[in-house]
Amino acid sequence: MSFDLSARLAARRAEHLYRQRPLLQSPQGPEVVVDGQPLLAFCNNDYMGLANHPDVIAAWKAGAERWGVGGGASHLVIGHSTPHHELEEALADLTGRPRALLFSNGYMANLGAVTALVGQGDTVLEDRLNHASLLDAGLLSGARFSRYLHNDPDSLSSRLEKAVGDTLVVTDGVFSMDGDIADLPALAKVAKAKKAWLMVDDAHGFGPLGANGAGIVEHFGMSLEDVPVLIGTLGKSFGTAGAFVAGSEELIETLIQFARPYIYTTSQPPGLACATLKSLELLRTEHWRREHLNALIKQFRDGAQAIGLELMDSFTPIQPIVIGDSGRALRLSQMLRERGLMVTAIRPPTVPAGSARLRVTLSAAHSEAQVRLLLEALEQCYPLLETSESVETYHA
Ligand SMILES: *Cc1c(COP(=O)(O)O)cnc(C)c1O
């Protein structure tokens, strides 16, 4: 046999990098049941608390009654239905862009946008901490691919000097594992000076950032000229599923012609677009969600600093606690779990080697009392990490 899978799996275990899927036996939310255990969770991306909102559920049900369940065909054949179209118009309105194009998920939106815009003879430059889907998209495009130092306009600038052909600069808006945000004004300036296009994937910025939840471009007031290609995903703050690209009329028409992950897939269920239209309305208009979330973020950061935890430079709902070693990160996650709390340990290759962390995420659905419980548990568990015995028994 040439495929020695058992050796690969054993090596993965030995490095504390083995992945397991916790089984969620309840709807998404702060209070969940996982593998038979009731837990208070701080690890989903449902930042606005909309994934299990009764109005969103009702909109999905009504959408299924009205439009049926399956999309039935690709958008270019006969799968582009009225709710998809209305959602695109609402997303264009939210982002202040002429048009938006709905994709089945963020991974496909990123593959579609990058591969439609650049190819052989062109250049794609990416932040080294970009989401895996962006890095995969860059590699798949066939363009010259290079990564610049994290959020560093000088590093980008020096790579732009050597760029050939059409050049696309790609960055996360909010970095998904660190929670810091891209320095878009500086990156846009450098890109524009070299006639490169800036593409921003703001999967984690829509919802929490901007006065109306329109994300990092609203936060910084970045125009279409600054950020010609804007990506958002709908599975995080919108609480549903799917993704979109927002930009000019010409950009969207180009994607409809050339983005293979758009063309060669069935449209998402139309009722799902009805659900997203409802969650978009809640995300935009219920400002208390952003205000409450910001209060929780401050509460968590203040409390964590008082305990002496090492946080990252983040004012977003992503508040990682840096541990370093993968085994120790797993051990802390396990200790919290024994106290009824769920915070996932994030390990390489999702994050750089030696930077394993507990990725705490906060949601508008959390209460102050729940954040206090998390802080109390961390205060108890974190010091034990220093003295705890071998992590071997805890590896997954
Ligand atoms: C989650 C995420 C994606 C993928 O979106 P899906 O809709 O879940 O496929 C893309 N980019 C970033 C930055 C993400 O965090």
Side-chain angles (χ1 to χ4, degrees):
M1 272 246 297
S2 56
F3 290 95
D4 195 353
L5 303 188
S6 60
R8 286 176 65 190
L9 293 172
R12 186 94 160 172
R13 266 184 210 284
E15 293 167 309
H16 304 294
L17 296 180
Y18 204 83
R19 262 65 167 171
Q20 274 183 326
R21 301 170 306 166
L23 183 62
L24 180 64
Q25 296 162 312
S26 66
Q28 196 58 265
E31 287 173 357
V32 289
V33 179
V34 174
D35 297 325
Q37 194 188 0
L39 292 168
L40 174 58
F42 290 90
C43 43
N44 72 32
N45 301 315
D46 179 27
Y47 306 120
M48 294 289 112
L50 296 175
N52 191 31
H53 192 289
D55 294 355
V56 179
I57 296 168
W60 198 348
K61 281 186 185 164
E65 293 287 352
R66 174 72 178 82
W67 303 100
V69 175
S74 65
H75 284 273
L76 273 56
V77 177
I78 192 175
H80 184 63
S81 64
T82 301
H84 299 133
H85 204 74
E86 286 174 0
L87 178 55
E88 290 182 344
E89 286 170 352
L91 290 165
D93 188 54
L94 174 74
T95 54
R97 273 29 184 179
R99 279 186 76 183
L101 188 70
L102 182 63
F103 280 74
S104 296
N105 59 59
Y107 201 114
M108 290 171 70
N110 285 337
L111 284 193
V114 174
T115 59
L117 290 171
V118 289
Q120 268 182 19
D122 298 323
T123 305
V124 59
L125 302 174
E126 302 209 16
D127 188 293
R128 60 182 291 275
L129 296 189
N130 272 356
H131 189 263
S133 60
L134 294 170
L135 301 172
D136 292 358
L139 292 169
L140 190 69
S141 71
R144 285 198 200 178
F145 177 83
S146 165
R147 300 206 250 180
Y148 58 89
L149 296 178
H150 176 53
N151 213 2
D152 185 338
D154 294 334
S155 170
L156 170 62
S157 184
S158 71
R159 280 168 177 70
L160 277 167
E161 297 292 338
K162 298 174 213 129
V164 296
D166 287 342
T167 303
L168 191 62
V169 174
V170 185
T171 183
D172 278 20
V174 173
F175 288 88
S176 54
M177 294 301 136
D178 292 31
D180 57 333
I181 76 171
D183 184 358
L184 281 195
L187 296 172
K189 195 169 159 211
V190 170
K192 268 208 261 184
K194 286 284 182 297
K195 297 204 163 36
W197 271 17
L198 181 58
M199 167 169 157
V200 177
D201 172 359
D202 204 20
H204 300 271
F206 281 98
L209 295 187
N212 302 292
I216 193 166
V217 297
E218 186 178 30
H219 176 82
F220 283 124
M222 308 290 286
S223 68
L224 178 65
E225 289 68 38
D226 298 322
V227 179
V229 189
L230 177 62
I231 311 283
T233 71
L234 304 173
K236 284 154 187 159
S237 284
F238 290 83
T240 57
F244 62 92
V245 181
S248 69
E249 181 71 30
E250 271 190 351
L251 172 73
I252 300 307
E253 284 301 315
T254 301
L255 296 180
I256 293 172
Q257 310 309 316
F258 301 112
R260 294 167 64 87
Y262 180 75
I263 298 166
Y264 297 105
T265 197
T266 301
S267 65
Q268 65 167 221
L272 179 57
C274 298
T276 307
L277 276 162
K278 174 51 73 177
S279 69
L280 188 155
E281 178 194 320
L282 297 172
L283 176 150
R284 249 186 126 155
T285 57
E286 294 195 341
H287 295 288
W288 67 263
R289 293 180 186 276
R290 266 176 293 284
E291 287 155 15
H292 176 59
L293 184 55
N294 282 329
L296 296 180
I297 293 166
K298 181 169 190 324
Q299 180 194 355
F300 177 77
R301 287 189 69 86
D302 290 351
Q305 264 145 18
I307 307 169
L309 300 179
E310 192 188 332
L311 296 180
M312 299 189 92
D313 181 19
S314 162
F315 63 87
T316 70
I318 302 167
Q319 291 293 332
I321 302 168
V322 186
I323 304 296
D325 175 69
S326 292
R328 279 162 53 92
L330 281 175
R331 171 91 178 103
L332 182 56
S333 177
Q334 182 65 34
M335 285 192 289
L336 290 172
R337 183 118 172 206
E338 284 158 10
R339 286 163 176 79
L341 288 141
M342 180 154 176
V343 185
T344 324
I346 305 281
R347 294 161 283 163
T350 308
V351 292
S355 74
R357 65 200 64 179
L358 258 59
R359 181 174 178 271
V360 171
T361 57
L362 299 165
S363 162
H366 284 121
S367 67
E368 269 175 44
Q370 288 171 331
V371 173
R372 214 174 309 124
L373 283 173
L374 172 63
L375 288 166
E376 281 163 15
L378 283 167
E379 189 169 17
Q380 288 168 8
C381 297
Y382 192 68
L384 300 178
L385 203 52
E386 302 307 316
T387 56
S388 66
E389 14 52 275
S390 162
V391 296
E392 293 307 320
T393 49
Y394 288 94
H395 79 235

